[in-house]
Amino acid sequence: MTLLRLGPDALHASRFALSPLAETLSQLTRLRHELAGPAASLQGQALGRWLDADPFADGLVRLVTATKYLPDFVAIPPTGMRTRLEDELVAMRAVTDPQAWETLTEAQKFAWASEGIGWADTTNVTTKAADVFARCWAQFVEPDWPRRRAIMERDIRHRAGVLAISGWKHALDGMSAGVLWVGHDSIQFSTQTFADRQIGDTGLVFVPHTGPRGQWTCESPPRVALVYPARGTLASVPEATGGVARLLGHRRAQIAVTLRTPATPSQLAALLDVSLGTVSAHLATLRDAGVIASWRSGRAVYYELTDVGDELAKLVTGTCPPVTA
C-alpha cells in the first residue's frame, strides 16, 4: 500500500481547499469514460467531436484520464478556498518543456488506455495543455460551477465539523475507497505499492471533486494535495416523490431531504437550480413548521433539520421503518 506520512506539524497545518483545475480533470475523466460506453451525453458528444479534430487535445485527454501517474503539470496543489483556474494555469504554463516531457514519459509508463505521447510537440507543451484545460473548463465546468462548488463546500463543512470533534482519523471516514487512517501518523492513499510520501510542515491539502469516484495526489514540493470525491456527487441531489412529498410540496420535500447535510440558502439555490428568493420562501415555511433550524457561522447562515425534520426526511425518502401495531 502507499502511505502519506504526517508528523504533528504536518497534521496541524493540513487544511481543505478547492481546485477548478482538479474539478476540470474530474469532469474530463467522466466525459472520456462516457465515450467508451453505449450512450454519451451531449457534453460527451461535444468532447468527442473536439478530440477527433485536435490530435494534441485527444492525446492529452486520453493520457490524463487513463493513467495511475498524472503528469505533474496537470496535478497542481491549490492554494486555498478561493483558488482561481487562471492562477493554476499560470503555474501549468511555467513548467518547462524538458520537465513536461519527463513527467509525460513517466505518466505513459502507468497508462492503460493511452497510445503513446507522439502527439505532444517538443515545444510549448504546457502552454498548449493549459489552453486545452481552459477550453474544457469554459465548456464543461464553468456553466455549472456554482452547483459544483456548493456540493464541495458542503463536503468540506461536514468534514471540518467531524475534524473539530473527533480529529483527522474520523474526518477521513468514507472519503474514498482505499483512503483511511493507518497507525498514528499515516494516511493510506492507495492499496497499490508505490513509494510513501513524507508530508512536510506545510501540511496536506484536502481537495474535493464532484465526480462519483477517483482520488489522486497533486505534488509541487513542499505542497502536496489529496483530491477525493465529495460526499454528494452531481447526480445525488435527491428527487422527492411519493405521497408525503406531494403533501409537503415537491420543492419543500426536496429541500428537507437535501438538508440532511446543513447548507446555506445560496448553496441550496445552486444545488437545486432555483432562485434564492424561492429557496428563502420555502425555508421560512419549513422553519415555521419546526422542520428546520438555523445557525450562524461567520457571515453565513446555515440551515439543518430538527428532530422533526429528520423524521420527515425519512418519510419522504421511504427510509422510515414501518409502524406496527
Side-chain angles (χ1 to χ4, degrees), residues 18-21 78-91 137 145 149:
L18 296 179
S19 170
L21 180 60
T79 55
M81 293 296 294
R82 299 184 181 276
T83 303
R84 303 184 309 166
L85 180 72
E86 293 85 349
D87 298 327
E88 294 179 299
L89 295 185
V90 166
W137 160 264
W145 179 244
R149 184 181 183 107

Side-chain angles (χ1 to χ4, degrees), residues 21-300:
L21 180 60
E23 182 65 14
T24 303
L25 178 57
S26 171
Q27 178 70 350
L28 271 179
T29 302
R30 187 181 70 80
L31 295 178
R32 184 69 188 83
H33 289 172
E34 277 187 11
L35 294 176
S41 64
L42 291 177
Q43 282 196 340
Q45 295 173 34
L47 176 65
R49 290 191 296 270
W50 171 27
L51 298 184
D52 287 343
D54 188 334
F56 182 92
D58 183 54
L60 178 64
V61 172
R62 283 179 181 272
L63 178 60
V64 301
T65 60
T67 181
K68 297 183 185 298
Y69 181 95
L70 285 170
D72 290 346
F73 59 83
V74 303
I76 298 170
T79 55
M81 293 296 294
R82 299 184 181 276
T83 303
R84 303 184 309 166
L85 180 72
E86 293 85 349
D87 298 327
E88 294 179 299
L89 295 185
V90 166
M92 184 183 295
R93 294 186 180 98
V95 176
T96 65
D97 287 324
Q99 291 173 314
W101 269 94
E102 180 180 355
T103 189
L104 283 172
T105 301
E106 192 68 17
Q108 178 60 32
K109 292 179 183 178
F110 294 92
W112 62 86
S114 176
E115 300 177 355
I117 55 175
W119 49 267
D121 296 334
T122 56
T123 59
N124 300 322
V125 176
T126 56
T127 296
K128 294 174 182 177
D131 290 342
V132 169
F133 273 87
R135 176 172 173 176
C136 290
W137 160 264
Q139 188 168 356
F140 304 126
V141 180
E142 187 177 24
D144 197 30
W145 179 244
R147 185 162 69 106
R148 293 169 183 269
R149 184 181 183 107
I151 290 171
M152 293 184 284
E153 286 178 339
R154 276 159 52 89
D155 175 90
I156 290 172
R157 182 81 198 180
H158 164 77
R159 295 191 187 280
V162 175
L163 171 64
I165 297 172
S166 304
W168 279 112
K169 178 178 181 179
H170 294 287
L172 268 59
D173 286 348
M175 182 170 278
S176 187
V179 174
L180 68 156
W181 193 265
V182 178
H184 68 281
D185 66 348
S186 299
I187 297 171
Q188 177 181 299
F189 165 68
S190 172
T191 56
Q192 301 185 41
T193 303
F194 295 101
D196 293 347
R197 278 86 150 178
Q198 187 68 43
I199 307 302
D201 294 347
T202 56
L204 185 62
V205 180
F206 293 89
V207 183
H209 69 88
T210 65
R213 63 182 64 86
Q215 71 267 2
W216 62 92
T217 56
C218 302
E219 301 182 41
S220 181
R223 295 185 296 128
V224 181
L226 171 59
V227 183
Y228 66 93
R231 286 164 42 99
T233 63
L234 286 176
S236 69
V237 175
E239 281 299 320
T241 58
V244 176
R246 289 194 296 272
L247 179 64
L248 188 60
H250 170 73
R251 190 61 72 189
R252 285 193 288 273
Q254 197 175 30
I255 289 173
V257 175
T258 303
L259 283 179
R260 287 180 294 187
T261 300
T264 67
S266 60
Q267 288 173 348
L268 285 170
L271 287 165
L272 303 178
D273 195 24
V274 296
S275 71
L276 184 58
T278 297
V279 166
S280 297
H282 288 312
L283 288 174
T285 300
L286 292 170
R287 184 179 57 216
D288 291 345
V291 174
I292 61 174
S294 62
W295 46 275
R296 182 176 293 276
S297 177
R299 295 184 178 181

